[in-house]
Every structure is written in structure tokens, then in C-alpha cells.
């Protein structure tokens, strides 16, 4: 059992280090997040939802297997531990589910979709939208790819749904280019149908692209870690919806709130209602993957009547995890060396004592 006295503590410390870095830091991060409920307690009629965007599951072209393994494990742990801690009623994925869906044929697209379902589940509580990496930008959307997404994720160009009495309109951002193409025409027809319904319930609009803005200069800070990028200028119809499409969307739907992703940056922005009677908020959700930033996030959104309450929830920092592994690894190596040297010194002392007492002919190494 001499080997266990030397290797036992390092093995235990290594297991503890892995548990801390791969489980505890995720649990600790999500335990510090709270649902933004009125008066500290959510009403039974309220809807608790996760808003997640830009998971970008790597594919066969640009995805190295080690990078793919690390990112998928991080998102898998983040999703299931956060779901266990907070137990949302529904989870919305706001597009760019996969990184290379736009290039995939039928069998490969199905493989990517199956992988998404393996990581994040598949059911009525998981609702997905299309992003440009799933089906391509507007000019590159192929009918076959669009049909594949519809088939795999049961999502149309524009869907009007209700969950616990709360109304959501799910929009394919690539169909809001406004250039009169078949795709845009179909979306406009769907929007007109929704308008003619004259529903008294103001919807929450979910899409991949944010509404039009030139930059993040008009954004409010979502949390203390939110650093607003004032330098990057957004391109209309590439980074955001067009100015005309955004105005038409607001006028037609009169939303309670708007959620989007795509930029891999957080943003909260106020917009005037169509009748100028007040404001509604638009939220842009950061990417959920370490591949697109050091501290990914999700939004905890509570819909309570006409109130949409939102808190951000930051995932653990990748750099912090790497630093803990480096420091912990070096400490374990030092402990191993100290124990090995100590055991060797003790062995030599015992051997020397044996030679003196019993005049053994055995040599001590």
C-alpha cells in the first residue's frame, strides 16, 4: 500500500478539482441568479422562461473534435444544471442552434438536429427559432434547407402561439428582408393574417436578429458585467433587421417585449409604442457558448400579465476555469513530488536502521 500513500492524495485532489471545475462552478453560478418575480414570488399564472441564443453547435467543416467536445460539454452542463436549479416552464432558443446547418444536406442536417436534441432535449418546453447559421442569410436561403429546418424543428416562417395564456410570435428573421422575394412575401402574408385577428393580447416577439440599431450606443446595461461596445457599427439586414422592417414589425404587432440574439452581445433598449403611449423593451441575448465570449449568459424572463420582467444569468468564466485547472494542477504536482520525496527519505531511514540493527546484506537504493 506504499503506492497509495504517495498517489492517493493526488488522485483525490485531482477528482476534487475536476468536480469543482466541471460541476460546482456551474451550480454556484446559477444559484446566484434569481427569477425577477414581483414581490419576490412568482404568481401561478406567470410564465418563467429561459431565453438562450447562438449555441452554434460545431459541424464537420470548421469544428475541431476537441473544441467541439469542450463547448458542447460546457453548454450541456450549463443548460441542465440551470434547468435543475430554476425549473423554467419553457426554454426559447433564439436561432443559430448549429454552426453549419446552412451548408448541410438532408442526412447531415438531421445529424446536427439530433445532436441539438441530445444536448438540450426535445419536447413542448423547448422551442427553437431559425438563425442565419441554421438556414443561411436571406440571399443564401435554399428552399431545401428551409424545409429541413421546418421538418426537424417544427417551425414556420412566422408562428403565433400561446403558453399559459401568454402570447408569443416567433419570427424567421431571414424572411423580413423586405425585397419582395417569395420568402418575404409569405412572411408579409402571415403578418397580415395576424394583424387581422385583432387579438387583444399584446405578444412577445421572438426572433434571431435584433431590431434596427446603428450600434450598441443606445443600449442600457443589463448587469454589472455588461460592457457596452461603442465602436462596432451594425450593418442593416446583416447584423440587425432593416429600419423599415423594424418599424413595420412594431406597428403591426405592438409587442410587449422583443427578444433576439445574433450579435453575441447583450443589450436592453427601449422603444416607443406605436401610439406613443409608453415604451416597450427589446433584449438582445448574449451567446450561450464559450466559443463566442468568455462569459456567456442566458436571460431569465418572467411574463406576468402585461409585465415582462428580465434578469440576466451569467455562466462561469472560461478563463477562470482554465486558471483554476492550471493552479490546481501545479499544486497537485507539487504535492505528488513532496510525498514521493518524503516516502523515499523514510524508506532510506528504515533501510539504514535495518543495516545497523541486523547487519543485513541488502542494499538501500
Amino acid at each position: 500500500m506504499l503506492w497509495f500513500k504517495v498517489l492517493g492524495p493526488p488522485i483525490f485532489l485531482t477528482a476534487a478539482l475536476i468536480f469543482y471545475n466541471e460541476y460546482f462552478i456551474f451550480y454556484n453560478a446559477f444559484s446566484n441568479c434569481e427569477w425577477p418575480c414581483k414581490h419576490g414570488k412568482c404568481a401561478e399564472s406567470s410564465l418563467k422562461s429561459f431565453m438562450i441564443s447562438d449555441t452554434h453547435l460545431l459541424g464537420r467543416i470548421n469544428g475541431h473534435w476537441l473544441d467541439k467536445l469542450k463547448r458542447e460539454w460546457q453548454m450541456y452542463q450549463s443548460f441542465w444544471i440551470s434547468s435543475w436549479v430554476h425549473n423554467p416552464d419553457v426554454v426559447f432558443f433564439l436561432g443559430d442552434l448549429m454552426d453549419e446547418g446552412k451548408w448541410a444536406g438532408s442526412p447531415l442536417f438531421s445529424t446536427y438536429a439530433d445532436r441539438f436534441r441530445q444536448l438540450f432535449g426535445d419536447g413542448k418546453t423547448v422551442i427553437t427559432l431559425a438563425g442565419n447559421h441554421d438556414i443561411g442569410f436571406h440571399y443564401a436561403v435554399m428552399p431545401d434547407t428551409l424545409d429541413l429546418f421546418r421538418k426537424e424543428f417544427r417551425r414556420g416562417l412566422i408562428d403565433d402561439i400561446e403558453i399559459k395564456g401568454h402570447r408569443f410570435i416567433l419570427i424567421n428573421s431571414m424572411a423580413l428582408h423586405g425585397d419582395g422575394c417569395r420568402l418575404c412575401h409569405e412572411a408579409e402574408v402571415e403578418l397580415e393574417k395576424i394583424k387581422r385577428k385583432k387579438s387583444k393580447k399584446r405578444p412577445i416577439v421572438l426572433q434571431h436578429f435584433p431590431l434596427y440599431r446603428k450600434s450598441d450606443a443606445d443600449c442600457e446595461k443589463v448587469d454589472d458585467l455588461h460592457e457596452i461596445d461603442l465602436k462596432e457599427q451594425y450593418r442593416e439586414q446583416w447584423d440587425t433587421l432593416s429600419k423599415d422592417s423594424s418599424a413595420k414589425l412594431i406597428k403591426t404587432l405592438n409587442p410587449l417585449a422583443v427578444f433576439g440574439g445574433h450579435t453575441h452581445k447583450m443589450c436592453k433598449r427601449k422603444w416607443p409604442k406605436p401610439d406613443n403611449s409608453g415604451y416597450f423593451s427589446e433584449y438582445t441575448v448574449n451567446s450561450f457558448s464559450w466559443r463566442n465570449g468568455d462569459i456567456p449568459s442566458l436571460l431569465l424572463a418572467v411574463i406576468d400579465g402585461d409585465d415582462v420582467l428580465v434578469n440576466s444569468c451569467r455562466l462561469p468564466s472560461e478563463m477562470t476555469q482554465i486558471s483554476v485547472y492550471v493552479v490546481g494542477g501545479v499544486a497537485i504536482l507539487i504535492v505528488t513530488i513532496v510525498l514521493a520525496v518524503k516516502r523515499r527519505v523514510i524508506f532510506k531511514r528504515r533501510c539504514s536502521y535495518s543495516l545497523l540493527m541486523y547487519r543485513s546484506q541488502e542494499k538501500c537504493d
Side-chain angles (χ1 to χ4, degrees):
M1 295 296 290
L2 291 177
W3 66 270
F4 183 76
K5 291 182 179 180
V6 175
L7 298 180
I11 291 173
F12 173 78
L13 291 174
T14 300
L17 178 63
I18 293 173
F19 177 81
Y20 177 85
N21 252 352
E22 302 298 340
Y23 293 91
F24 179 76
I25 62 170
F26 292 96
Y27 173 79
N28 185 59
F30 296 121
S31 295
N32 289 324
C33 304
E34 294 182 350
W35 290 108
C37 302
K38 289 181 180 179
H39 313 298
K41 185 177 181 181
C42 292
E44 291 185 6
S45 59
S46 64
L47 180 75
K48 296 187 293 184
S49 62
F50 281 175
M51 299 291 176
I52 296 174
S53 189
D54 295 274
T55 51
H56 283 274
L57 300 185
L58 294 177
R60 295 181 180 179
I61 298 174
N62 295 328
H64 186 274
W65 69 268
L66 184 59
D67 190 20
K68 179 181 172 69
L69 176 66
K70 181 176 176 58
R71 308 310 178 185
E72 289 186 359
W73 172 253
Q74 168 256 314
M75 288 188 287
Y76 176 84
Q77 288 292 87
S78 298
F79 178 75
W80 289 109
I81 291 176
S82 63
S83 296
W84 175 62
V85 172
H86 294 291
N87 191 28
D89 298 314
V90 63
V91 181
F92 295 102
F93 287 88
L94 305 179
D96 280 359
L97 315 179
M98 56 194 83
D99 199 54
E100 300 174 10
K102 57 187 177 181
W103 299 324
S106 178
L108 187 55
F109 194 98
S110 295
T111 299
Y112 292 159
D114 288 340
R115 185 58 181 157
F116 178 87
R117 288 188 285 265
Q118 288 171 4
L119 290 174
F120 304 113
D122 181 29
K124 294 181 179 180
T125 59
V126 176
I127 298 176
T128 55
L129 283 74
N132 54 287
H133 276 266
D134 301 314
I135 62 174
F137 276 106
H138 171 79
Y139 71 91
V141 175
M142 300 298 291
D144 290 346
T145 308
L146 187 61
D147 288 340
L148 284 171
F149 193 90
R150 283 171 169 164
K151 175 185 174 183
E152 293 290 346
F153 296 102
R154 304 177 296 279
R155 186 63 53 232
L157 291 180
I158 297 180
D159 294 310
D160 189 352
I161 65 174
E162 280 197 20
I163 306 173
K164 289 184 70 173
H166 303 284
R167 188 177 173 216
F168 295 86
I169 294 181
L170 284 54
I171 296 176
N172 185 324
S173 296
M174 279 59 70
L176 295 183
H177 208 67
D179 61 357
C181 71
R182 181 182 64 84
L183 193 66
C184 296
H185 176 71
E186 289 180 12
E188 288 172 2
V189 170
E190 291 298 323
L191 280 174
E192 192 60 33
K193 287 180 181 178
I194 291 172
K195 184 179 180 180
R196 286 199 297 266
K197 287 182 181 179
K198 295 182 179 180
S199 174
K200 294 182 180 180
K201 292 181 179 179
R202 292 175 61 201
I204 294 167
V205 173
L206 307 178
Q207 57 187 7
H208 182 58
F209 283 12
L211 297 174
Y212 172 77
R213 62 177 182 263
K214 290 183 178 179
S215 70
D216 286 345
D218 295 330
C219 295
E220 300 176 20
K221 282 195 171 186
V222 179
D223 58 33
D224 293 337
L225 295 176
H226 182 192
E227 295 183 3
I228 298 174
D229 184 355
L230 301 177
K231 295 181 180 179
E232 184 176 1
Q233 299 295 304
Y234 292 140
R235 300 167 296 168
E236 195 172 357
Q237 297 180 334
W238 289 87
D239 301 315
T240 70
L241 292 184
S242 69
K243 192 172 185 179
D244 291 340
S245 294
S246 299
K248 185 174 183 178
L249 208 61
I250 294 170
K251 184 178 179 181
T252 303
L253 301 177
N254 187 23
L256 269 177
V258 176
F259 291 88
H262 185 57
T263 64
H264 301 171
K265 298 175 184 177
M266 300 180 77
C267 177
K268 178 184 178 182
R269 187 183 179 192
K270 289 183 178 179
W271 289 82
K273 293 180 182 179
D275 58 4
N276 292 317
S277 62
Y279 296 88
F280 70 87
S281 293
E282 177 198 8
Y283 296 89
T284 305
V285 187
N286 192 11
S287 173
F288 196 60
S289 172
W290 273 341
R291 198 168 191 260
N292 298 318
D294 180 41
I295 309 180
S297 64
L298 58 89
L299 294 184
L300 307 179
V302 175
I303 298 90
D304 189 353
D306 287 338
D307 295 318
V308 181
L309 311 169
V310 177
N311 269 353
S312 67
C313 189
R314 294 283 186 166
L315 278 61
S317 164
E318 182 180 29
M319 289 307 300
T320 298
Q321 188 194 56
I322 292 172
S323 299
V324 171
Y325 267 130
V326 171
V327 173
V330 170
I332 291 170
L333 180 61
I334 292 172
V335 169
T336 305
I337 293 172
V338 169
L339 289 175
V341 170
K342 185 177 179 182
R343 294 304 305 170
R344 184 177 178 83
V345 169
I346 291 174
F347 176 76
K348 280 191 172 183
R349 286 177 179 174
R350 287 179 177 176
C351 198
S352 300
Y353 180 77
S354 176
L355 285 171
L356 290 172
M357 294 297 295
Y358 306 105
R359 297 178 179 174
S360 171
Q361 298 302 313
E362 296 179 2
K363 294 182 179 179
C364 296
D365 295 327

